[in-house]
Amino acid sequence: MYIGFILNGRNNLEYCRMLSSDANDLDRRFGEFCFSQVRKQLKGAYLPEESIYCIEAADGDKNRVESLVRDIIDRGAWPSDDHQRLRDIGFVHETADPYRRTDSRDFIVGELERTLHNGRAGRLLEAYHDFHQSREKDTGNRVLTAIQTGQGVLLFDDTGRGLERAESYLQYNADNFFSPIHRNT
C-alpha cells in the first residue's frame, strides 16, 4: 500500500490519503495527488510551505491510514529527503504547457530539473517562492474566518485548505440543521 501525505513547515501532518496498492500505477497516482493538492491550495491567498511525501506502508488496513502515517512520523521513519515541495509543484502546475503536461511524478521532477538548469526559469521559480512566502508572512492582510459555536469559536485561515474546511463545516451544519443532535450548535 502506498500513502501520500503532506507535512507543514513544522513537520505536522496536514493531510494523508492512500494512493495506490499497485507500484505500476504509483507514478500517475502520486502526480494526480500532488496536482490536486496544489489546485486546492491555489484557491487560497498563497501556497503554504508544505512538503508532499509518498511512502510504502506494509500495513494494508485502509481504515487506519492516518494513524499509520502519524506512527511513521512519530518514529521518524519516513524518507525526509525524498519529497516534493508544494510551491515547486505549484510552479510546475502554473507554468507547464497544458498540452504537454501529464499528471505524473516523473513529469513534475523533469520540469523542476529543466527549470533549475535554465537560468531565467530558475529565477522565476525563486520569485514564485518569494511571492508566496511574503504573502504567508503578511499577517496584516491575512483573513481568518471565525465561526462561533456552542462550544467556542472555530478559526480557519485563508489557505486553500482552510477555506475548504470552513466551507465544509458550514455545509455540514446546513445539512444537519434540523437534526436533534445539533440543536445547540
Side-chain angles (χ1 to χ4, degrees):
M1 171 169 77
Y2 294 91
I3 299 172
F5 65 96
I6 301 172
L7 297 181
N8 63 23
R10 296 176 307 278
N11 280 343
N12 293 327
L13 182 64
E14 287 290 334
Y15 180 74
C16 63
R17 184 179 95 198
M18 188 184 99
L19 298 178
S20 177
S21 56
D22 181 12
N24 295 326
D25 194 33
L26 185 60
D27 179 58
R28 182 181 61 83
R29 293 285 180 116
F30 185 70
E32 289 172 352
F33 177 68
C34 290
F35 282 136
S36 71
Q37 294 307 306
V38 164
R39 283 190 292 273
K40 287 179 185 178
Q41 291 289 33
L42 282 172
K43 294 176 184 174
Y46 65 92
L47 288 176
E49 186 62 46
E50 295 179 344
S51 299
I52 301 179
Y53 295 85
C54 178
I55 58 169
E56 183 176 8
D59 188 352
D61 188 0
K62 296 177 185 179
N63 299 323
R64 288 200 31 197
V65 170
E66 185 172 346
S67 63
L68 182 65
V69 170
R70 288 191 188 281
D71 289 345
I72 290 169
I73 292 169
D74 291 343
R75 289 189 325 239
W78 82 94
S80 58
D81 60 340
D82 184 23
H83 66 277
Q84 300 296 322
R85 296 185 330 180
L86 185 70
R87 290 178 181 166
D88 288 347
I89 298 166
F91 181 80
V92 169
H93 181 270
E94 294 193 284
T95 60
D97 181 1
Y99 296 108
R100 199 172 60 81
R101 189 181 99 197
T102 60
D103 289 357
S104 73
R105 181 181 197 158
D106 288 343
F107 178 79
I108 294 168
V109 170
E111 285 297 303
L112 286 173
E113 286 176 4
R114 274 192 286 284
T115 299
L116 295 174
H117 288 90
N118 179 335
R120 182 175 177 273
R123 288 188 300 277
L124 286 174
L125 177 61
E126 285 179 34
Y128 188 83
H129 276 272
D130 291 344
F131 169 78
H132 287 289
Q133 185 173 8
S134 67
R135 293 292 305 253
E136 184 174 20
K137 290 184 176 184
D138 185 14
T139 57
N141 290 316
R142 300 275 307 277
V143 176
L144 288 177
T145 301
I147 301 174
Q148 185 174 357
T149 69
Q151 290 80 29
V153 176
L154 297 173
L155 296 175
F156 300 91
D157 64 8
D158 58 354
T159 62
R161 192 174 293 113
L163 295 171
E164 180 183 318
R165 288 177 179 164
E167 184 179 312
S168 175
Y169 177 76
L170 290 172
Q171 186 62 52
Y172 172 79
N173 282 321
D175 291 345
N176 294 292
F177 184 75
F178 295 106
S179 172
I181 296 171
H182 298 288
R183 185 179 318 256
N184 296 323
T185 304

